[in-house]
Amino acid sequence: MRKLASAMRILTVPLLIVFYLAVLYYNLHESDRRSLNLKHDIPDATEAVHVSLKIVNLDVARGEITARMRIRLSGKIAKDEFTPAVNLQFLVNAFQGQQRFELQRGERVSPLMVTFPLVGEQSLYPFDTHEALLAFVATKPGQETKPAPAPSSSAGTAAGKSTSILGRLKKAVTGETDEPPAGQVKLVGKSELASRTQVPVLFDLSASIPGFKFDGEVVETGQEQMTGIQLKLRRANNVIVASLGIQLMMVLLALSMLAMVLFGTMKGKGSAIDPLSIAPVLIFGLPALRDTQPGVPPLGAFSDYLSYLWAEAIVAGCTIISIWTWIARHRSDNASAAPDPEPVEDKAPPQGT
């Protein structure tokens, strides 16, 4: 057993060093695992608006995500890469600020900063997820010519009407409507599209914010529901591990304090007062330890009910138990140490003469 204990002590140090180096190597390229690079392209597009987006900031408490946009043009609508040859309108589903941008003919297009809405449940930290839809539309003057509909007979018209009525009934039964489906947005109305022509919008997005892992896809819709990017993000793996580690640390400290108090209540007066040198420190130290979690929301999140509130309640209860145990034992010791009162001798009655 002695040789085995010595071997374990000798192997502990190299194992700790190997574990330390492995953690460093794993987090050396941590940004590659949480970043997102998304590209949407149409090779045969004769003219298009190319939007290069870079996510520069997000605030889950305020529910907003900020992107820096760089617009490039190609085809007949471009005088050069950054100068339009026609008057273009560029619309975004911005959360605040300007939503419509007029790209005047012959004027260079400057980079734009746009803030988009972010939806999520922050109280589920560190397992909270959030979503954002980045939708755009570009239009140019003039209406696109469409082929005239072929003439139809009265029977065909009746069949078309019947089919239309059956289709509407089917949508009513299944709950379908003409509204854009979930995850899509409607930026332009029919009246505006009646006098303008849409221009394809292509995307090139990069997102990398420390503490968050990004995922996304391009969503394509019809003429009135624009093409956009559906972003999904959650806490990065290192944030989840750090948060769970801190929560486990708080619970273990509280349980250790509880074991110390239970041991002290079964021993003498000195053992009962020993926890009082640690418990007040933990009462004020646990809130500071909780706030070291990266990106933790205000008090009341799911993680607080998982660890912090229980740990704080255990430490506070242990402090109260230790104080009253010491008071009770101190009083009992004082009562046992008090001297017994001296007996009073009965005086003999005076003898009469």
Side-chain angles (χ1 to χ4, degrees):
M1 294 299 295
R2 291 181 180 179
K3 292 181 179 180
L4 181 60
S6 301
M8 292 297 296
R9 285 193 295 266
I10 294 173
L11 292 175
T12 299
V13 175
L15 289 176
L16 289 176
I17 295 175
V18 170
F19 180 75
Y20 175 75
L21 295 177
V23 171
L24 289 181
Y25 180 78
Y26 179 78
N27 289 276
L28 187 62
H29 302 286
E30 182 267 342
S31 61
D32 297 338
R33 293 188 296 271
R34 57 175 170 79
S35 302
L36 172 66
N37 292 306
L38 189 63
K39 189 173 184 179
H40 172 59
D41 196 6
I42 303 177
D44 56 349
T46 58
E47 56 183 19
V49 175
H50 303 262
V51 181
S52 297
L53 299 104
K54 180 177 177 59
I55 305 299
V56 295
N57 187 34
L58 64 89
D59 190 340
V60 295
R62 300 179 60 180
E64 58 186 33
I65 182 169
T66 305
R68 183 189 298 119
M69 296 193 308
R70 185 76 172 177
I71 298 177
R72 296 180 292 106
L73 309 171
S74 64
K76 299 178 181 179
I77 61 173
K79 185 177 181 180
D80 59 40
E81 190 178 8
F82 300 105
T83 306
V86 296
N87 294 330
L88 297 176
Q89 288 184 357
F90 187 70
L91 294 90
V92 299
N93 63 324
F95 175 67
Q96 58 184 0
Q98 191 173 355
Q99 294 183 340
R100 181 191 298 269
F101 299 91
E102 300 288 343
L103 310 182
Q104 299 296 331
R105 179 178 60 184
E107 295 184 4
R108 184 178 176 86
V109 180
S110 302
L112 307 174
M113 295 290 291
V114 182
T115 302
F116 298 93
L118 184 67
V119 180
E121 189 61 47
Q122 187 187 8
S123 62
L124 295 178
Y125 176 92
F127 304 105
D128 52 331
T129 58
H130 305 268
E131 293 186 1
L133 178 64
L134 285 59
F136 309 91
V137 59
T139 61
K140 65 179 182 179
Q143 185 178 9
E144 185 178 2
T145 59
K146 298 181 180 179
S152 57
S153 61
S154 59
T157 303
K161 290 182 178 179
S162 176
T163 304
S164 177
I165 294 174
L166 290 176
R168 289 198 298 268
L169 288 175
K170 182 179 179 181
K171 287 184 178 181
V173 172
T174 57
E176 299 179 2
T177 62
D178 293 332
E179 295 296 324
Q184 300 174 3
V185 65
K186 188 174 182 179
L187 291 177
V188 183
K190 293 181 179 180
S191 59
E192 186 171 354
L193 288 177
S195 59
R196 301 186 67 86
T197 302
Q198 283 187 250
V199 180
V201 179
L202 310 180
F203 303 99
D204 182 9
L205 179 138
S206 63
S208 180
I209 301 293
F212 289 90
K213 178 178 175 58
F214 287 85
D215 191 11
E217 61 180 354
V218 177
V219 290
E220 298 182 0
T221 60
Q223 177 76 359
E224 298 177 33
Q225 291 85 32
M226 302 301 105
T227 302
I229 301 175
Q230 184 76 42
L231 283 181
K232 298 179 181 180
L233 46 119
R234 62 172 179 84
R235 304 286 175 172
N237 294 335
N238 58 347
V239 173
I240 296 177
V241 172
S243 176
L244 294 179
I246 293 174
Q247 294 178 42
L248 180 62
M249 190 184 307
M250 290 189 292
V251 172
L252 292 179
L253 286 173
L255 293 179
S256 300
M257 175 57 59
L258 179 61
M260 187 176 181
V261 169
L262 293 177
F263 178 79
T265 54
M266 295 184 296
K267 299 296 180 180
K269 181 176 64 176
S271 300
I273 201 174
D274 287 340
L276 293 178
S277 60
I278 304 176
V281 178
L282 283 180
I283 290 178
F284 297 99
L286 287 177
L289 186 59
R290 174 201 177 272
D291 292 339
T292 58
Q293 299 178 82
V296 63
L299 185 64
F302 172 74
S303 59
D304 296 327
Y305 295 99
L306 187 64
S307 60
Y308 168 70
L309 293 177
W310 292 104
E312 192 75 13
I314 291 173
V315 172
C318 291
T319 305
I320 296 173
I321 292 173
S322 298
I323 292 174
W324 284 101
T325 301
W326 180 84
I327 291 175
R329 291 179 177 176
H330 186 72
R331 291 186 59 184
S332 62
D333 292 345
N334 289 341
S336 60
D340 296 333
E342 296 181 358
V344 179
E345 295 181 358
D346 296 336
K347 294 182 179 181
Q351 295 178 356
T353 55

